[in-house]
Amino acid sequence: MVTTKPASRPANPRFSSGPCAKPPVFSLEKLSDAPLGRSHRAAIGKSKLAEAIELTREILRVPADYRIGIVPASDTGAFEMAMWSLLGERPAEMVAWESFGAGWVTDVVKQLKIAATTHTADYGEIVDMAALNYDNDVCFTWNGTTSGVRMPNGDAIPSDRAGLTLCDATSAAFAQDLPWDKLDVTTFSWQKVMGGEAAHGMLILSPRAVERLESYTPAWPLPKIFRLTKGGKLIEGIFKGETINTPSMLAVEDYLLALKWGKSIGGLDALMHRANANARAIFNFCAAHDWIDNLAVDPATRSNTSVCLKFTDDRITDGAAFAKAVAKRLEAENVALDVGAYRDAPAGLRIWCGATVETSDIEAMLPWLAWAFEAEINA
């Protein structure tokens, strides 16, 4: 039992799952080169946006023939843009094992009204991806941010598929090795693994996705902010830094800072290593304590970024109230901020372990988690 408060505290108690902790090298002074008050269409603005695209390509190892665009409204905007622009040419396979995937199901079935087969799994579980019909278009999340369950790999996705795969990878990009040959549309936001500011999303298209865009026109009208083609051809400028709407050049500078930091420490391999070390510290903690466990049932599907935990002690009668009370104690001590489970998820905690988090902070926080649990049990 831990009845006294631990002696040390995390240097950075920010474990929010979005917006996430800034890179360790971050300071406001390092954003002084942002071209504030300048047009994003001026040469300096376009060069900054193009640099962000190319650094993203380099670090994520995106193939040269894939397009990368900066789009509005974070990951949600990017994925909505993809669904509204690409789906409808054939039936869809909608996959959901947590709340964001369920949101995409709602959009396709109730808003776009596309013929779709829905595949779901409970929180902590994952859909059998090998059971899908890949002659249809498939929409799924790679890493369930609200469940802590991720795809173990892309082996279930056939290379000779007729349909497109649309992947929401917002909590996976920069922390997990994405198999680009299995992904036709990939989206993510700056605010997750790289700790960038919110509001901007990334849209990555395979040649097959571009071919669909140029050969298929949806039956529904597309708002200007979603339009990726003009006259039946891809608007190439979007993928060279000529964004659809006005971006924040301050946010772009912040993303560039994060990308340059990621490159300086060793790129994708180093970023994945940091996330793995963070998650491993929590997994080991759970293995050593019988009152807490990972929400993900299968160890192969446990996220290394949004680690979701559940309390398993029989003395807990109201799981939601107990988890909230523990999170409140941790916040009051300023040792773990914003670690409550997502509102639609099962009661528990969610601790962000992405690459911008220091393992030493995770390790310093965990004794406080044990203290908060014991304090709440005793109370």
Side-chain angles (χ1 to χ4, degrees), residues 94-163:
M94 302 303 298
V95 180
W97 57 78
E98 50 92 51
S99 60
F100 284 98
W104 309 141
V105 172
T106 298
D107 286 349
V108 167
V109 174
K110 294 186 177 180
Q111 300 298 324
L112 296 177
K113 295 180 170 61
I114 293 170
T117 302
T118 301
H119 308 262
T120 62
D122 292 334
Y123 278 86
E125 304 281 354
I126 193 169
V127 168
D128 179 6
M129 297 296 288
L132 307 183
N133 180 2
Y134 288 92
D135 287 338
N136 296 335
D137 294 330
V138 179
C139 298
F140 66 102
T141 57
W142 190 273
N143 184 102
T145 310
T146 65
S147 70
V149 175
R150 68 169 176 178
M151 292 270 290
N153 51 59
D155 294 352
I157 302 173
S159 298
D160 60 349
R161 60 193 178 276

Side-chain angles (χ1 to χ4, degrees), residues 16-24 59-60 143 145 150 169-178 188-197 254-255 258-259 261-262 265 267-268 270-276 278 303-306 352-358:
S16 162
S17 292
C20 302
K22 307 299 289 181
I59 294 174
L60 289 181
N143 184 102
T145 310
R150 68 169 176 178
T170 199
S171 295
F174 297 106
Q176 297 165 24
D177 197 6
L178 298 172
F188 63 89
S189 66
W190 299 350
Q191 64 167 311
K192 295 294 186 180
V193 177
M194 297 309 287
E197 289 303 295
D254 181 68
Y255 182 48
L259 289 169
W261 165 74
I265 65 170
L268 183 59
L271 294 168
M272 290 191 297
H273 177 77
R274 287 175 64 90
N276 289 339
N278 292 336
S303 172
N304 65 342
T305 55
S306 54
W352 184 254
C353 290
T356 57
V357 174
E358 299 281 15

Side-chain angles (χ1 to χ4, degrees), residues 29 64 139 159 214 224 253 292 308 346:
E29 291 75 17
C139 298
S159 298
E214 295 184 338
K224 178 181 178 181
E253 195 70 24
I292 195 166
C308 296

